[in-house]
Amino acid sequence: MRGLTLAIIALLLIAGDSGRYTQQLVRNATSAIHAYDKQFLLAEPITTEPKLSDALAPEQAGSDPLSSNSASADSTASAPASNSLSSNKARPLKQSVYALLWLAAQNHEQSGTSQGNDNASEEAQHLLINVATKNNAQYWLEQLASINNADAAWALYQLLGEEAASDRLVRLAALGNVAEAQLAFAMATENPEKREKWLIRAAEQGYMPAQAALADWYLLHAQPELAKPWLQKTAMDDMQSAFKYGRLLWDENNRDDAKVFIQRAAKEGHKLAQQMASVIKRYSPTTPSNVPQYLWQTNTACHQRIQLVATSLATIARADKLYKDYVNDERLSELPLCIAPPLWLENNVLDCNANFQGQGNLACNVKPLAPIVKARDVTHAIVVSEQGKANVQNGVMYLDISDAYSVMVHELAHFAGFIDEYALSRNAARRYCTKEGLNTFAPPNLTMDGAIAYYPQNTVNRWETKAKEKFLPLRVGTAKTCGAINVTSYKPSRVITFMEHHDSGVIPDLYLSLWQGQLANPAAQRPISMNLFQAFHKSGQPQEAGQWLAAYESHKASGEMNAGEAAADAATTTNANTDAKTNTEE
């Protein structure tokens, strides 16, 4: 007890000569801290420490921060009675320590007469930051920030939190080369050049989060060559970087090294890396000419024979997931369509673009698929590409890696002739929402107003027939399909179906029954042979174009409606009357 008292007196005496004995100030402050090590360095931060806005900030109250009055005021702060040593003795000493360290810290700014004093002043600033941060002493951190101490500015910014702290603090810390602050400063700006500049400054200091963020920035802006060296630096310590680095290596055909990093990320728990590592084990890139035949089920079970195709490591992983989801989808299990496991084509086999030939849609040059279609007797294909808007074009469905399985189901219905039940564009509505359009396209889920009844009435008759066969209710509702040209159209449901919102998950039983009927009639579909005919014809290859046109005509002829179905349609058409709209939802 007597030794402790002497130490306090010694500290206060030394404080009187701060300009000349900077090193001595630091030594005495350090000794005092060590004497109270358990209270200051190991104890929980004292929540009653004065904040910048409190009256205990001395210069705001018009007092000297080194005066006995200031120390006395701080010593009266409340503290738990059980911690009597901390409340009665540690707190006055702590303010004395702050004061001594602050005097030593200022000497670097005020005089700094020797290198030793300069070093001691820097040590004092560092020590004051540590003690003030641990004990939430925001006032002293602000004092250090006032003399442009970047580390103190960052420590204070972190204590106050992003919402309460001023931009001045993070900017000061960033200018002072605090890497964490530089990263925060970069991410806070919307200016691309400014963000990149500060990311680079933080990354060049070896700050791994900044290095990873800079790599992400370059990847976002399609500059993998700039991202690669930063990913290389972080790949050994960050599973996300390891995965992305492996992806880049794979795209460069450095597949052995790519596997190492992808597997490393997978072992660390990276979900997508785990999926890709599994895919690499089960699939291998190939060329269309090397694709083997595929054994389909009987033709009656596979009216549509669909081949999934992937174009890269990312897309084979997505295609594999889509295939698994299809296999496990009991809703579609009774439909006579079959999907083969995905094929992984070598890089650059397919020329795909999100705005293919300026059409505004994702599409590919399908000619390289011709050997696959022949070898496997494929009627339709699903191509999973990197980026673009999902759509169907004459027997080919295009998806990108962001498309959910529900999108694929929606597009599968398009394969069978179903039309969208959300509002079509004006041009599309003009094409489909007319008598000529409906006669040519004949979607199974759409009619419109006719002169005295629905048009085409045949479609409504099929709805009624299928509903009776399956003991299902028929409730005709309005559709949004033709709204762009102010034509009222109708669908065989009053609920929002998967043809209006793909993610709604609602596939009415009547739609499944209609879907089965469409699949049984190949004449109602557009197979991939039509797409191949168009592609070869457009590229000036008449011989190949002729072969695929013949294949299309053969497919169409094989599915013409039988005489019994035609007669039934004719009979029901004759019996149509003006009461046909009684179940329509207005």
Side-chain angles (χ1 to χ4, degrees):
M1 186 69 180
R2 178 182 177 188
L4 179 59
T5 302
L6 293 175
I8 295 173
I9 295 172
L11 282 173
L12 296 175
L13 290 174
I14 292 296
D17 195 5
S18 61
R20 192 176 300 174
Y21 299 108
T22 303
Q23 298 176 61
Q24 187 64 43
L25 288 170
V26 175
R27 283 196 296 269
N28 282 275
T30 303
S31 297
I33 292 173
H34 288 167
Y36 283 82
D37 184 68
K38 290 184 179 180
Q39 280 104 15
F40 291 107
L41 301 182
L42 299 180
E44 291 295 322
I46 298 173
T47 57
T48 55
E49 187 66 35
K51 296 184 179 181
L52 293 177
S53 59
D54 295 339
L56 292 178
E59 78 287 357
Q60 295 178 7
S63 61
D64 182 352
L66 301 182
S67 70
S68 59
N69 290 337
S70 174
S72 175
D74 186 64
S75 69
T76 61
S78 62
S82 59
N83 193 5
S84 59
L85 183 60
S86 176
S87 61
N88 294 334
K89 299 176 182 177
R91 293 184 60 81
L93 177 60
K94 185 169 61 169
Q95 287 302 316
S96 299
V97 172
Y98 287 148
L100 293 177
L101 291 175
W102 170 238
L103 287 172
Q106 286 180 298
N107 282 348
H108 181 62
E109 286 286 316
Q110 296 171 354
S111 57
T113 55
S114 69
Q115 183 64 40
N117 277 350
D118 285 347
N119 292 339
S121 179
E122 292 178 3
E123 182 183 354
Q125 293 184 37
H126 179 72
L127 190 56
L128 182 53
I129 291 170
N130 287 343
V131 175
T133 301
K134 177 169 284 294
N135 292 278
N136 197 23
Q138 297 173 15
Y139 168 76
W140 296 104
L141 292 173
E142 177 64 38
Q143 290 296 92
L144 287 170
S146 71
I147 60 173
N148 296 322
N149 186 297
D151 291 320
W154 180 242
L156 181 57
Y157 178 85
Q158 290 179 301
L159 281 179
L160 293 173
E162 184 177 349
E163 296 298 325
S166 67
D167 293 339
R168 174 184 66 88
L169 293 174
V170 71
R171 184 175 184 276
L172 174 59
L175 289 171
N177 284 329
V178 177
E180 297 93 329
Q182 290 172 338
L183 174 58
F185 197 52
M187 302 312 293
T189 180
E190 297 298 326
N191 185 307
E193 294 180 358
K194 193 173 181 181
R195 176 172 292 186
E196 182 179 357
K197 167 190 170 182
W198 286 102
L199 285 175
I200 291 173
R201 288 188 62 172
E204 287 178 343
Q205 292 198 69
Y207 185 48
M208 191 179 72
Q211 294 172 337
L214 181 59
D216 285 344
W217 175 258
Y218 287 135
L219 290 175
L220 180 65
H221 291 81
Q223 296 175 294
E225 70 284 354
L226 296 179
K228 184 180 176 182
W230 295 108
L231 290 175
Q232 188 175 14
K233 291 177 181 294
T234 58
M236 297 302 293
D237 300 307
D238 175 52
M239 67 176 181
Q240 184 74 8
S241 296
F243 170 66
K244 293 174 182 176
Y245 186 52
R247 286 280 308 278
L248 287 182
L249 292 175
W250 188 278
D251 291 342
E252 295 174 352
N253 288 321
N254 186 357
R255 292 175 178 173
D256 289 337
D257 288 343
K259 290 179 183 179
V260 171
F261 284 97
I262 291 172
Q263 290 169 356
R264 182 184 187 88
K267 289 180 180 177
E268 292 292 325
H270 193 286
K271 298 299 183 183
L272 190 53
Q274 291 171 345
Q275 184 183 356
M276 288 194 174
S278 174
V279 162
I280 290 171
K281 289 181 180 179
R282 293 182 287 113
Y283 297 93
S284 298
T286 187
T287 59
S289 59
N290 289 329
V291 171
Q293 294 182 346
Y294 184 75
L295 184 62
W296 300 97
Q297 300 179 45
T298 62
N299 287 338
T300 56
C302 300
H303 289 319
Q304 284 185 352
R305 298 176 294 280
I306 305 170
Q307 179 62 63
L308 262 168
V309 177
T311 58
S312 66
L313 176 57
T315 58
I316 187 61
R318 188 71 196 129
D320 180 65
K321 180 65 167 59
L322 292 171
Y323 176 71
K324 289 179 179 177
D325 288 343
Y326 165 74
V327 170
N328 294 322
D329 190 350
E330 295 183 359
R331 299 173 304 171
L332 309 185
S333 60
E334 298 300 321
L335 295 179
L337 61 82
C338 302
I339 301 180
L343 292 172
W344 184 0
L345 298 183
E346 286 282 4
N347 294 348
N348 303 319
V349 167
L350 287 181
D351 176 22
C352 300
N353 193 283
N355 185 24
F356 189 73
Q357 297 180 346
Q359 298 173 0
N361 284 323
L362 170 63
C364 309
N365 176 11
V366 298
K367 292 190 297 181
L369 297 179
I372 299 174
V373 175
K374 287 182 178 179
R376 297 199 159 193
D377 191 23
V378 171
T379 63
H380 297 74
I382 301 173
V383 178
V384 185
S385 189
E386 296 285 345
Q387 185 177 2
K389 183 179 179 181
N391 67 98
V392 164
Q393 299 179 25
N394 288 335
V396 181
M397 180 194 305
Y398 295 103
L399 303 174
D400 75 8
I401 55 177
S402 68
D403 285 324
Y405 172 67
S406 59
V407 175
M408 190 177 93
V409 173
H410 175 97
E411 302 297 338
L412 282 174
H414 284 318
F415 272 172
F418 283 76
I419 195 169
D420 291 317
E421 292 173 357
Y422 54 77
L424 300 178
S425 67
R426 185 176 295 274
N427 288 338
R430 286 171 178 166
R431 177 181 178 187
Y432 296 119
C433 299
T434 63
K435 289 185 177 181
E436 295 77 12
L438 290 178
N439 285 337
T440 301
F441 183 57
N445 62 322
L446 187 75
T447 63
M448 64 181 187
D449 282 324
I452 58 175
Y454 294 118
Y455 188 90
Q457 184 61 39
N458 286 350
T459 299
V460 180
N461 295 336
R462 288 195 190 94
W463 295 351
E464 293 174 343
T465 300
K466 290 294 184 181
K468 290 178 181 178
E469 288 177 355
K470 301 294 183 178
F471 302 100
L472 299 171
L474 173 60
R475 295 184 176 89
V476 178
T478 55
K480 299 177 182 178
T481 306
C482 304
I485 58 172
N486 297 319
V487 170
T488 303
S489 55
Y490 304 93
K491 61 182 182 179
S493 175
R494 295 184 182 180
V495 302
I496 295 175
T497 79
F498 75 122
M499 295 310 298
E500 183 173 353
H501 293 305
H502 66 81
D503 55 353
S504 72
V506 177
I507 307 179
D509 290 339
L510 182 56
Y511 279 59
L512 291 172
S513 183
L514 293 169
W515 200 338
Q516 285 181 324
Q518 289 291 105
L519 293 174
N521 181 18
Q525 306 164 37
R526 287 290 183 92
I528 192 174
S529 52
M530 171 53 72
N531 205 317
L532 289 167
F533 158 68
Q534 293 172 331
F536 282 107
H537 178 72
K538 189 173 183 178
S539 63
Q541 296 174 271
Q543 183 175 354
E544 291 83 354
Q547 292 175 356
W548 288 109
L549 180 58
Y552 169 72
E553 294 293 347
S554 176
H555 175 90
K556 183 178 179 181
S558 69
E560 292 292 348
M561 205 178 281
N562 63 47
E565 290 174 328
D569 284 340
T572 52
T573 300
T574 303
N575 294 330
N577 56 65
T578 57
D579 295 328
K581 294 185 181 180
T582 54
N583 287 327
T584 301
E585 179 187 58
E586 298 299 339

